[in-house]
Amino acid sequence: MISTPRSEWIVPFTGLQPGQFHKLVRVVAERSGDTAADGRPGKQWRLDLADRVLLVATYWRTNLTMRQIGPLFGGSHSAAHRGVDSLSPLLALALVRRRRIDQIAIVDGTLVPTRDHRLAARSKNYRYSTNLQVAIDADTRLVIAIGDPQPGNRNDCSVTATPASRTP
Protein backbone atom coordinates (compact mmCIF):
# COMPACT_ATOMS: atom_id res chain seq x y z
CA MET A 1 0.00 0.00 0.00
CA ILE A 2 1.32 3.45 -0.98
CA SER A 3 1.57 5.94 1.87
CA THR A 4 3.45 9.17 2.65
CA PRO A 5 5.28 7.92 5.78
CA ARG A 6 7.36 5.85 3.37
CA SER A 7 8.97 8.74 1.49
CA GLU A 8 10.44 6.46 -1.18
CA TRP A 9 6.96 6.37 -2.77
CA ILE A 10 6.74 10.15 -3.21
CA VAL A 11 9.34 10.71 -5.95
CA PRO A 12 8.34 7.95 -8.41
CA PHE A 13 4.61 8.56 -8.10
CA THR A 14 4.57 12.39 -8.01
CA GLY A 15 7.85 13.54 -9.54
CA LEU A 16 8.34 15.80 -6.51
CA GLN A 17 11.02 15.67 -3.86
CA PRO A 18 9.66 14.95 -0.35
CA GLY A 19 10.18 18.58 0.73
CA GLN A 20 8.30 19.89 -2.31
CA PHE A 21 5.51 17.39 -1.72
CA HIS A 22 5.06 18.37 1.94
CA LYS A 23 4.95 22.04 0.89
CA LEU A 24 2.17 21.12 -1.55
CA VAL A 25 0.27 19.40 1.28
CA ARG A 26 0.58 22.57 3.38
CA VAL A 27 -0.78 24.68 0.50
CA VAL A 28 -3.77 22.34 0.12
CA ALA A 29 -4.42 22.48 3.86
CA GLU A 30 -4.32 26.30 3.79
CA ARG A 31 -6.62 26.53 0.76
CA SER A 32 -9.16 24.04 2.05
CA GLY A 33 -9.54 25.23 5.62
CA ASP A 34 -11.80 22.79 7.44
CA THR A 35 -13.32 21.17 4.33
CA ALA A 36 -10.40 18.82 3.62
CA ALA A 37 -8.75 18.88 7.04
CA ASP A 38 -8.71 15.73 9.10
CA GLY A 39 -10.78 15.51 12.25
CA ARG A 40 -13.78 17.33 10.82
CA PRO A 41 -17.33 16.45 11.83
CA GLY A 42 -19.14 13.81 9.82
CA LYS A 43 -17.72 10.75 8.11
CA GLN A 44 -13.94 10.68 8.38
CA TRP A 45 -11.62 10.11 5.45
CA ARG A 46 -9.81 6.80 5.64
CA LEU A 47 -6.64 8.44 4.32
CA ASP A 48 -5.08 11.49 5.94
CA LEU A 49 -4.66 14.68 3.90
CA ALA A 50 -1.07 13.93 2.81
CA ASP A 51 -2.08 10.50 1.50
CA ARG A 52 -5.04 11.98 -0.36
CA VAL A 53 -2.76 14.57 -2.00
CA LEU A 54 -0.41 11.69 -2.92
CA LEU A 55 -3.39 9.82 -4.40
CA VAL A 56 -4.36 12.79 -6.60
CA ALA A 57 -0.77 13.43 -7.69
CA THR A 58 -0.35 9.75 -8.51
CA TYR A 59 -3.57 9.76 -10.51
CA TRP A 60 -2.50 12.81 -12.52
CA ARG A 61 1.07 11.65 -13.10
CA THR A 62 0.56 7.97 -13.91
CA ASN A 63 -2.74 8.09 -15.80
CA LEU A 64 -3.91 4.97 -13.96
CA THR A 65 -7.63 4.29 -13.69
CA MET A 66 -9.59 4.68 -10.47
CA ARG A 67 -9.90 0.89 -10.31
CA GLN A 68 -6.09 0.70 -10.24
CA ILE A 69 -5.47 3.68 -7.94
CA GLY A 70 -7.97 2.66 -5.24
CA PRO A 71 -6.30 -0.65 -4.28
CA LEU A 72 -2.84 0.97 -4.40
CA PHE A 73 -3.96 3.18 -1.52
CA GLY A 74 -5.92 0.48 0.29
CA GLY A 75 -9.37 1.63 -0.73
CA SER A 76 -12.05 1.24 -3.36
CA HIS A 77 -12.24 2.90 -6.75
CA SER A 78 -15.19 5.02 -5.57
CA ALA A 79 -13.18 6.28 -2.57
CA ALA A 80 -10.30 7.16 -4.92
CA HIS A 81 -12.74 9.01 -7.15
CA ARG A 82 -14.13 11.01 -4.20
CA GLY A 83 -10.59 11.90 -3.15
CA VAL A 84 -9.63 13.11 -6.62
CA ASP A 85 -12.89 15.06 -6.97
CA SER A 86 -12.54 16.80 -3.61
CA LEU A 87 -8.85 17.76 -3.83
CA SER A 88 -8.33 18.48 -7.54
CA PRO A 89 -9.70 22.05 -7.37
CA LEU A 90 -7.41 22.77 -4.41
CA LEU A 91 -4.34 21.73 -6.41
CA ALA A 92 -5.12 24.03 -9.34
CA LEU A 93 -2.91 27.04 -9.93
CA ALA A 94 -4.17 30.38 -8.72
CA LEU A 95 -5.70 32.49 -11.48
CA VAL A 96 -3.54 35.22 -12.97
CA ARG A 97 -5.43 38.03 -14.66
CA ARG A 98 -2.55 39.78 -16.40
CA ARG A 99 0.09 38.17 -18.57
CA ARG A 100 3.44 39.58 -19.63
CA ILE A 101 3.46 41.35 -23.00
CA ASP A 102 6.45 39.29 -24.17
CA GLN A 103 4.97 35.95 -23.04
CA ILE A 104 5.07 33.26 -25.71
CA ALA A 105 2.30 30.68 -25.68
CA ILE A 106 2.13 27.30 -27.37
CA VAL A 107 -1.37 26.37 -28.55
CA ASP A 108 -2.31 22.84 -29.51
CA GLY A 109 -5.48 20.87 -29.91
CA THR A 110 -6.26 17.41 -28.69
CA LEU A 111 -9.09 15.02 -29.39
CA VAL A 112 -10.77 13.81 -26.23
CA PRO A 113 -12.94 10.68 -26.68
CA THR A 114 -16.38 11.13 -25.16
CA ARG A 115 -19.75 9.43 -25.07
CA ASP A 116 -21.65 12.70 -24.81
CA HIS A 117 -22.92 13.09 -28.37
CA ARG A 118 -24.15 16.66 -27.74
CA LEU A 119 -20.54 17.89 -27.66
CA ALA A 120 -18.99 15.26 -29.90
CA ALA A 121 -18.83 14.29 -33.54
CA ARG A 122 -17.25 11.40 -35.37
CA SER A 123 -13.64 12.21 -36.09
CA LYS A 124 -10.41 10.29 -36.56
CA ASN A 125 -10.80 6.53 -36.31
CA TYR A 126 -14.59 7.00 -36.35
CA ARG A 127 -14.65 7.73 -32.61
CA TYR A 128 -16.90 10.31 -31.03
CA SER A 129 -14.66 13.00 -29.59
CA THR A 130 -14.37 16.68 -28.80
CA ASN A 131 -11.58 18.97 -29.95
CA LEU A 132 -10.09 20.90 -27.03
CA GLN A 133 -7.52 23.67 -27.42
CA VAL A 134 -4.92 24.21 -24.69
CA ALA A 135 -2.45 27.11 -24.45
CA ILE A 136 0.69 26.73 -22.34
CA ASP A 137 3.44 29.17 -21.39
CA ALA A 138 6.51 28.37 -23.49
CA ASP A 139 8.88 29.02 -20.57
CA THR A 140 7.18 27.29 -17.66
CA ARG A 141 5.06 24.73 -19.58
CA LEU A 142 2.09 25.62 -17.33
CA VAL A 143 -1.42 25.83 -18.76
CA ILE A 144 -2.54 29.43 -19.21
CA ALA A 145 -5.81 28.94 -21.12
CA ILE A 146 -8.26 26.25 -22.16
CA GLY A 147 -10.81 26.67 -24.92
CA ASP A 148 -14.38 25.49 -24.94
CA PRO A 149 -14.78 21.97 -26.33
CA GLN A 150 -15.93 21.79 -29.94
CA PRO A 151 -17.05 18.78 -31.97
CA GLY A 152 -14.11 16.54 -32.85
CA ASN A 153 -14.50 16.82 -36.60
CA ARG A 154 -13.46 20.50 -36.54
CA ASN A 155 -10.00 21.60 -37.61
CA ASP A 156 -7.67 22.98 -34.90
CA CYS A 157 -7.48 26.36 -36.66
CA SER A 158 -11.25 26.82 -36.70
CA VAL A 159 -11.57 25.78 -33.06
CA THR A 160 -8.84 28.23 -31.99
CA ALA A 161 -10.57 31.08 -33.81
CA THR A 162 -13.95 30.59 -32.11
CA PRO A 163 -14.98 33.53 -29.90
CA ALA A 164 -16.05 31.15 -27.11
CA SER A 165 -12.42 30.44 -26.15
CA ARG A 166 -11.51 31.89 -22.79
CA THR A 167 -8.57 32.35 -20.46
CA PRO A 168 -8.72 31.46 -16.78
Side-chain angles (χ1 to χ4, degrees):
M1 188 168 98
I2 299 173
S3 183
T4 54
R6 296 185 56 196
S7 60
E8 65 267 12
W9 292 114
I10 294 174
V11 175
F13 284 102
T14 67
L16 300 171
Q17 295 301 318
Q20 294 172 314
F21 176 77
H22 292 297
K23 182 178 178 183
L24 180 64
V25 172
R26 282 192 303 274
V27 167
V28 169
E30 290 169 4
R31 286 183 178 179
S32 66
D34 293 333
T35 58
D38 301 319
R40 67 187 173 118
K43 186 173 181 180
Q44 301 297 310
W45 289 97
R46 184 176 181 277
L47 300 173
D48 65 0
L49 183 60
D51 285 342
R52 284 183 281 144
V53 171
L54 181 61
L55 182 143
V56 174
T58 301
Y59 173 70
W60 284 353
R61 183 169 170 88
T62 62
N63 207 19
L64 294 171
T65 66
M66 295 294 175
R67 291 195 185 277
Q68 295 166 325
I69 292 281
L72 283 176
F73 286 86
S76 66
H77 70 280
S78 58
H81 191 274
R82 282 191 301 273
V84 170
D85 266 358
S86 67
L87 289 185
S88 290
L90 300 173
L91 290 168
L93 294 174
L95 293 179
V96 176
R97 294 290 176 202
R98 293 192 178 262
R99 300 280 172 204
R100 295 186 330 265
I101 282 275
D102 61 342
Q103 181 182 29
I104 298 174
I106 301 169
V107 179
D108 195 14
T110 184
L111 290 175
V112 180
T114 182
R115 291 185 177 149
D116 186 357
H117 292 243
R118 293 172 296 160
L119 292 174
R122 283 188 174 211
S123 57
K124 295 179 181 176
N125 300 327
Y126 301 102
R127 297 181 72 185
Y128 278 89
S129 59
T130 59
N131 190 335
L132 186 65
Q133 299 293 307
V134 178
I136 64 168
D137 184 336
D139 295 328
T140 63
R141 303 288 195 246
L142 296 175
V143 174
I144 57 175
I146 298 174
D148 287 330
Q150 300 293 318
N153 59 359
R154 305 256 172 98
N155 187 294
D156 282 352
C157 294
S158 64
V159 172
T160 303
T162 59
S165 295
R166 66 186 184 279
T167 58

